[in-house]
Each structure stands twice: as structure tokens, then as C-alpha cells.
Amino acid sequence: MLKKHSQFFKSLNFIFDSVIIVFAWLSSYYLRFYLIPVPLPEHNTSVDEYIIFLIPIILIWGIAFQAFGLYRPRRLTSRTAEMLDIAKASSLSILFLIAISYFLRKYEFSRLILLYFWILSIIMLSFARGIFREFLRFMRKKGYNLRYALIVGTGNLAEGIVKRIELHPELGVKIVGFLKDKSEILKNDGLQPKIIGVYEDINKVISEKNIDQVFIALPLKENDKLFEILKTLGDEMLEIRIVPDLYQLTTLHGGVEEFEGMFLINLQGSPLYGWNRVLKRAADIIFSLIAILIISPLMLIISAVIKLTSNGPIFYRQIRMGLDGKVFQMLKFRSMRIDAEKETGAVWATENDPRRTRFGSFLRKTSFDELPQFINVLKGDMSIVGPRPERPVFIEDFRKKIPKYMLRHKMKAGITGWAQVNGWRGNTSLEKRIECDLFYIENWSLFLDLKIMWLTIWKGLINRNAY
């Protein structure tokens, strides 16, 4: 039954895609010669030959879409991933089409038509697929086109699968039950749905319950049973997914990637690679330059007041830890006496700290002492948004007491951050601050950076915990 359903939707998708491709091709022709005519020499303006060439176009796109897995069931695939695959398949197809038209001298098509067709095919196919997927999701929420799944394994990993699937009824996946190791007592332990058998019953359960999908979620201690279960499932006509019990080992931005046919599981990483890194650095340079231009008069006034009201330098350089644990000198306007830590050593500032200068108290309350850090941003030591950097002397203690503390250094240190705009600043809970920092790193986007910048300005620089 599963095979018949899959074949039906595969055929339906191919028909819809073919219709869209025909429409995109003819629309490109109309755009080039009628709607946006461009006075360029053309070899072929007859619509007949463009129509004849639709047959190889449909075949090329069909083969490319098949190669990129765009005709397989994608219940658990995100819309963004499908759109990216459509863009890749269409780009490859257009290159192949250009190559064919080059070798077949009889057909020399307008390059503008090929450009229009490439753009329109990606947009139209993505839009059509989106509508089709939304229709399927709507039907599944109503109880149609369901798939019945069995989970092999129990415990936190298995329960996590159920919770995630229940959050998305539009996927149309219904969990029938769990299978448990026979060496354990066969009881339900409050699990919903119920435990309906042991591992050895898997073929019987699949047959009786009309199972379409199997999730194998064995705890690490039972991984020795995996090959036996897979051997038992060898000739079953259903989808099999293995969920490795590595969740408790994943620390930050984990994921799966493929290398030469081998799957690699990343337990921790950073979201800043490739274009993300370029975008964040570009934003830092642009916004820090704008900020320096705007606040330069204020910085000159602050510098003059510091010089007039206390002895010592205008700026204070302090060693902080940044990206990947590398240290750098963070700039601040000096707000304390030059011998502030001579007697106390490295300590955090306290409320009504006697080490502050008269003007330094105002600087710390308003956060104006942090303004020179825009220079650190330009140098590349810091970012405008990121976890606030801490002194290495304190970090040695924090990393022993707070789990995952060092993971905050997977992102460049910032002038402001998610923790600061949520009130966790100064002498507040370190645990909450780390929680916010890790949330920021896991969910980083340029939009989130802009939101934090805006919240920093909107909520004001004055904070009751800044002293």
C-alpha cells in the first residue's frame, strides 16, 4: 500500500512539475519577445521550435528532480530544504540545456529566454510545491493520507520522537506504539502510545498494524541489538529511520553531514561559516563605523572630562577571552582609579564601589565606558552582538562550576547580547546568562542581531545592575 501511495504522489508531482515547466518556458518566450522586447540580434524567434524543445526540457528536469530526491516522500523535510533542492536541480538542468542547445546548432535560443526560464522555473516550481505541500498538510490534519509509525526502543530518545511528531500533525504520522527489549519488564511506564511488544515481535506488529514507517531509537546500552533488528527488517517494504542516541552528547549546533558517502555527526559547531560569517562581519564593520561617526563628539567630551577629573590614562585596556578561547585587549573608558586592583586583586565591581572615580560612576551607570569597544569591533576582536567577554582569571573558576560555560566562546564576543537585553547583566545569575548566550548562538541570524541592537537602544543603556 505504501509503495502504491508513493508512486501515485510521485506521478502526480511529475505531472504538476511538467505543467509548471511548460508554463515557465512559454512565459519566458513571451517576456523576451513581447512584454520586455530587447533589441538584440537573435537567431530564432519562431515559437514552434521553442514548443518542440519542451519534450527534452521536461525529460531533463524530470531526471534532475529525481536525482535530487524531489519525487520521494518528504514528510519530515523542511520547506527551505525542498526549495534549495529545486534551485540546485533547476540550475543543473539549465546548464545541461545550454550545453545541448550549443551542440545542436539547429536550435540557437535566446540567452535571455534561458535566463528568464531559469529564474521563473525556480520561483514557479517552489511556489507550486509549497501549495501542494500545504494542501497535503491540511488533509493530514483532517485525518487523511496518514502514515502509521512504530518506534523500536523506549526511554527519553523514543519519547522525544513522539513529542516532536505530535507538535506537527500536518506531517500525517501517527505513532502506533513502542517495542521494548524482552529482558525488561513489559509494562507501559506511563508511555503514550502504549508498549505493544518486544523487539522480536517487530514483523508481526508491522503486519497486524499496517506499519508504514519504523523509527529505531535504541539507547546506547542496547546498540548491540541494532544489526539483528535491521536484519529482521531486511525484506519489509517500509521506511526505516535510525535515531542515534547521541542527543545527550550534543552540546551546540550539532548536525549531520555527508562526506564521500559517509555520514558524519557533528556534536558541536558554530553557525558562523561561509556566507553567514561574511554577513556578520560586514554588518559589524558598517554599523560600528556609523556608530563611531555618531558618537565621536560624545567620546571626545568623555575623554576630556576623564582627563580633567582624575589622574591617569583616558582608556583602560583589559585582557578578555573571545572567539575560540583567544584573548584580546578590550578597550574601555577608564572609570576607576589606576591602582584599583592593587589591594583586592581581580574582583567584580560592586554597588557603590569605592574604587570608582567621580565621573566613572556615571560612565558605568550609563554604559558609556563601553563605547570604545566599537574600535575592537573594527579591529575584528569583537562583534557588536555576541556573548559578553569575561576575564580569563574568572573563567577558570566559571568553567568548573557551570556546565557548557566554554561553549559561549564559539561565537565572537559582543558589546551587547541576548543576555544583556533580557536583563542578565552585571552581578546577576551566571547560569541564566550562559543559557541566553547559548540560545543566541544556536539561533543566530542577522535578523536576531538587528533585533538585539534595537532592543539595546530601545531599553536604554542605563541598567540597575551596572555598577
Side-chain angles (χ1 to χ4, degrees):
M1 183 63 72
L2 176 62
K3 189 175 180 181
K4 289 180 180 179
H5 277 296
S6 297
Q7 190 61 43
F8 171 74
F9 282 108
K10 179 179 177 180
S11 301
L12 200 60
N13 265 327
F14 178 73
I15 292 169
F16 284 160
D17 288 345
S18 299
V19 172
I20 296 297
I21 288 167
V22 169
F23 184 72
W25 182 247
L26 295 178
S27 296
S28 302
Y29 176 86
Y30 179 76
L31 278 172
R32 168 63 187 90
F33 292 115
Y34 297 99
L35 193 61
I36 316 174
V38 179
L40 292 174
E42 296 295 339
H43 300 283
N44 185 12
T45 60
S46 172
V47 71
D48 294 337
E49 292 188 357
Y50 282 90
I51 291 174
I52 292 171
F53 215 68
L54 276 169
I55 296 173
I57 286 174
I58 291 171
L59 288 175
I60 292 168
W61 258 254
I63 293 168
F65 273 41
Q66 178 71 25
F68 279 88
L70 286 161
Y71 291 130
R72 61 179 173 80
R74 285 182 166 240
R75 287 175 185 255
L76 304 181
T77 303
S78 70
R79 299 173 198 174
T80 304
E82 186 170 35
M83 288 176 64
L84 285 173
D85 284 340
I86 288 172
K88 291 174 186 175
S90 295
S91 299
L92 182 64
S93 298
I94 202 74
L95 291 174
F96 196 66
L97 183 62
I98 291 169
I100 289 176
S101 64
Y102 175 78
F103 286 107
L104 298 177
R105 295 289 184 176
K106 181 181 177 182
Y107 300 96
E108 295 187 25
F109 300 118
S110 164
R111 284 170 291 182
L112 271 178
I113 285 182
L114 294 174
L115 177 62
Y116 291 156
F117 179 54
W118 174 60
I119 296 170
L120 287 177
S121 64
I122 293 174
I123 295 172
M124 290 181 177
L125 286 166
S126 298
F127 184 70
R129 283 296 183 101
I131 292 175
F132 183 67
R133 297 295 178 193
E134 284 304 315
F135 171 74
L136 288 179
R137 287 184 173 97
F138 174 77
M139 295 300 291
R140 288 162 186 163
K141 284 182 179 180
K142 297 294 183 181
Y144 299 100
N145 188 229
L146 297 180
R147 294 289 178 268
Y148 297 93
L150 175 70
I151 297 181
V152 181
T154 56
N156 294 333
L157 187 62
E159 290 181 54
I161 295 171
V162 175
K163 288 176 183 177
R164 284 166 173 78
I165 289 176
E166 287 177 346
L167 285 173
H168 299 280
E170 73 276 4
L171 298 175
V173 177
K174 184 177 181 181
I175 304 296
V176 174
F178 298 88
L179 294 185
K180 197 172 187 178
D181 182 19
K182 67 180 180 181
S183 64
E184 299 181 35
I185 300 173
L186 188 58
K187 58 181 181 178
N188 281 300
D189 298 329
L191 288 172
Q192 292 295 333
K194 303 292 184 182
I195 294 173
I196 56 178
V198 294
Y199 298 158
E200 287 72 16
D201 297 330
I202 190 166
N203 296 107
K204 178 183 174 183
V205 172
I206 288 170
S207 176
E208 290 179 353
K209 303 292 185 180
N210 293 318
I211 300 298
D212 301 309
Q213 300 180 4
V214 171
F215 290 89
I216 301 177
L218 300 178
L220 280 174
K221 63 180 181 180
E222 295 180 8
N223 266 356
D224 58 319
K225 300 178 176 66
L226 176 61
F227 291 104
E228 191 62 35
I229 293 169
L230 289 175
K231 185 178 178 181
T232 305
L233 291 171
D235 58 354
E236 293 286 355
M237 300 298 293
L238 42 69
E239 294 180 13
I240 302 170
R241 291 183 170 90
I242 297 176
V243 185
D245 189 18
L246 296 172
Y247 181 75
Q248 69 269 31
L249 302 178
T250 303
T251 52
L252 182 68
H253 224 270
V256 179
E257 60 183 332
E258 185 183 354
F259 174 70
E260 294 292 331
M262 179 184 294
F263 291 104
L264 306 176
I265 300 175
N266 298 320
L267 296 183
Q268 68 181 46
S270 170
L272 286 184
Y273 57 88
W275 283 107
N276 284 348
R277 188 170 184 175
V278 174
L279 283 173
K280 187 167 176 65
R281 182 60 185 146
D284 281 339
I285 293 171
I286 292 168
F287 285 112
S288 58
L289 282 172
I290 293 171
I292 289 172
L293 286 173
I294 293 172
I295 64 175
S296 54
L298 176 61
M299 291 179 70
L300 286 172
I301 293 170
I302 291 172
S303 300
V305 175
I306 291 173
K307 205 64 182 171
L308 291 170
T309 56
S310 64
N311 295 323
I314 294 170
F315 297 108
Y316 175 62
R317 292 171 172 82
Q318 194 173 68
I319 299 297
R320 297 288 179 110
M321 187 175 288
L323 181 65
D324 294 330
K326 296 177 182 177
V327 296
F328 66 96
Q329 284 192 335
M330 189 178 78
L331 282 174
K332 299 179 76 172
F333 279 125
R334 186 175 57 83
S335 59
M336 292 192 176
R337 303 190 312 266
I338 55 175
D339 59 347
E341 293 185 339
K342 184 178 180 180
E343 296 178 1
T344 62
V347 293
W348 275 11
T350 58
E351 192 172 5
N352 299 318
D353 198 312
R355 299 174 300 163
R356 295 176 302 181
T357 63
R358 286 178 297 167
F359 187 52
S361 176
F362 168 77
L363 289 178
R364 298 179 76 88
K365 284 285 185 184
T366 56
S367 300
F368 285 171
D369 61 324
E370 313 282 359
L371 295 181
Q373 286 161 38
F374 283 108
I375 298 172
N376 285 116
V377 175
L378 279 180
K379 288 173 62 181
D381 296 328
M382 295 177 66
S383 175
I384 293 178
V385 180
R388 284 294 294 164
E390 193 48 81
R391 298 171 70 178
V393 66
F394 295 142
I395 289 172
E396 288 305 314
D397 184 46
F398 295 157
R399 69 187 304 177
K400 295 174 186 175
K401 296 178 180 178
I402 304 170
K404 302 182 180 180
Y405 179 85
M406 294 302 290
L407 293 179
R408 68 199 302 268
H409 299 107
K410 296 301 291 183
M411 183 74 82
K412 195 175 285 188
I415 297 176
T416 183
W418 186 242
Q420 284 64 45
V421 297
N422 281 284
W424 303 109
R425 179 184 171 187
N427 193 15
T428 54
S429 170
L430 278 172
E431 288 79 5
K432 288 291 184 183
R433 216 180 304 175
I434 300 307
E435 185 180 317
C436 287
D437 289 340
L438 297 184
F439 172 86
Y440 168 75
I441 297 172
E442 281 277 11
N443 297 278
W444 177 86
S445 68
L446 197 56
F447 175 77
L448 181 58
D449 273 3
L450 294 173
K451 179 180 178 180
I452 292 171
M453 290 182 207
W454 167 250
L455 287 174
T456 302
I457 298 169
W458 177 258
K459 292 187 176 182
L461 301 176
I462 298 176
N463 187 284
R464 60 189 176 88
N465 296 313
Y467 37 77

